[in-house]
Amino acid sequence: MLFHVRMDVALPHAMPADQAAELKRVEKARAAELQQAGTWRHLWRIAGQYSNFSVFDVASTDELHDLLSTLPLFPYMRIEVTPLVRHPSSIRNADF
């Protein structure tokens, strides 16, 4: 199943810079791992925001939830999830 996921990150202003840097470092490594596995299919930054649009390919909403909760920045995210299905007018049959 494909899911469109918007993630908005809001780190506390009082968080020490070194702690924020370490969180971002381990988040980047986890994101790379999931992309290499093919689970995190697309990752797009939203210009001017600490946010992204992503597409995940997982078996279920439970799997998506479990995966998202492994992200180091998860406690600081507002997440919106939209399940995706192929549009009957799409000419791109290879990307599902």
Side-chain angles (χ1 to χ4, degrees):
M1 297 178 70
L2 296 179
F3 293 90
H4 174 270
V5 179
R6 178 183 174 135
M7 293 178 254
D8 299 300
V9 180
L11 294 177
H13 294 293
M15 180 179 284
D18 58 336
Q19 182 182 356
E22 177 63 11
L23 268 174
K24 292 173 188 179
R25 185 191 68 74
V26 294
E27 177 81 14
K28 184 175 182 177
R30 180 66 177 137
E33 176 184 307
L34 293 169
Q35 288 175 77
Q36 290 168 351
T39 306
W40 198 330
R41 299 266 303 266
H42 299 279
L43 174 56
W44 297 93
R45 178 174 303 282
I46 301 172
Q49 299 178 33
Y50 194 2
S51 304
N52 72 72
F53 286 131
S54 295
V55 175
F56 288 87
D57 188 357
V58 293
S60 67
T61 54
D62 288 333
E63 182 181 348
L64 178 65
H65 177 77
D66 291 345
L67 181 149
L68 292 172
S69 67
T70 70
L71 298 175
L73 290 173
F74 179 76
Y76 309 102
M77 290 181 182
R78 184 177 63 83
I79 299 173
E80 295 177 15
V81 176
T82 305
L84 300 173
V85 295
R86 174 134 326 269
H87 193 285
S89 298
S90 175
I91 63 168
R92 307 231 185 268
N93 293 324
D95 188 30
F96 45 83

